[in-house]
Amino acid sequence: MPRPSATSAPARAPRVRVPRAQREEQILFAAEQVFAERGFHATSMDEVAERVGVTKPLIYEYFGSKEGLLSACITRARTQLREATELSWASVGPDAPLSEVFEAGVRAFFEFIDAHATAFVLIQQEGAVASQANPLIEGIREEQSAATVATFRAAPGLGAVPDELLEGCAEVVIGACERVAVWRAGRPGVGVEDATQIVVSTVWGGLASLLAPR
């Protein structure tokens, strides 16, 4: 039986083709880490590609540009945040008073931030891709606002409140949560319950006034 030549190259393992959806998720996961660590401008597409183990042209093929990659990462983060909030609302129960639903949603927001710190760092970088003009990011922001309005609308006593007023209230709630999250980032002594009570005690009064007889 002939022996293999000493100079023959070792056999290469066959390449395993990864489905596109799975590969995109791998890229987004790695990119989220790099964007959070470096910031948008200092992030290198080469570093993202190296962490995933793919070529840089593949990332451009999937996402078009660095701005497109950041936009996809932010959209993913906001989607996860919205789903976590909606899950908290569902867990309270359909007959719970709005005050309990409201508090559960606020608490879920801060719990998500603590568990997904890099995702929140990405959300803070929306300005780097001009979110107001970005349909992906703006679309998921509108979904989050619409879900909040739908939760308010389901509460007894809010049926006659105009949509525009409820939409404005939703924006106030979302904005308050995000700003308090930024504020507490440098204050490790402010826990989830502390942040929740800050938002609830500050914002709930205005929302509760809509439940009063008109």
Side-chain angles (χ1 to χ4, degrees), residues 8 19 26 46 62 66 91 115 173 198:
S8 61
Q26 292 172 346
D46 289 305
Y62 282 5
K66 187 165 76 168
S91 68
V173 172
I198 288 171

Side-chain angles (χ1 to χ4, degrees), residues 119-188:
F120 186 60
V121 172
L122 285 180
I123 290 173
Q124 293 177 264
Q125 297 185 41
E126 285 183 5
V129 289
S131 63
Q132 293 300 317
N134 189 297
L136 282 175
I137 297 175
E138 195 57 28
I140 194 62
R141 285 178 64 90
E142 291 174 357
E143 287 181 15
Q144 185 178 9
S145 180
T148 305
V149 169
T151 301
F152 290 166
R153 177 66 69 197
L158 291 181
V161 177
D163 287 341
E164 292 80 5
L165 186 53
L166 287 184
E167 290 170 5
C169 289
E171 292 296 324
V172 169
V173 172
I174 294 169
C177 287
E178 292 186 3
R179 288 309 307 168
V180 170
V182 172
W183 169 78
R184 70 183 282 258
R187 296 168 174 80

Side-chain angles (χ1 to χ4, degrees), residues 79-92:
T79 299
Q80 292 172 339
L81 173 57
R82 176 177 55 79
E83 290 173 348
T85 305
E86 291 177 343
L87 183 62
S88 75
W89 289 333
S91 68
V92 173

Side-chain angles (χ1 to χ4, degrees), residues 187-207:
R187 296 168 174 80
V190 181
V192 167
E193 285 303 320
D194 298 317
T196 299
Q197 292 309 312
I198 288 171
V199 174
V200 170
S201 61
T202 303
V203 179
W204 172 249
L207 184 59

Side-chain angles (χ1 to χ4, degrees), residues 83-113:
E83 290 173 348
T85 305
E86 291 177 343
L87 183 62
S88 75
W89 289 333
S91 68
V92 173
D95 299 324
L98 182 58
S99 59
E100 292 183 16
V101 177
F102 176 70
E103 184 169 341
V106 172
R107 182 178 295 106
F109 174 90
F110 291 113
E111 288 176 343
F112 176 87
I113 296 306

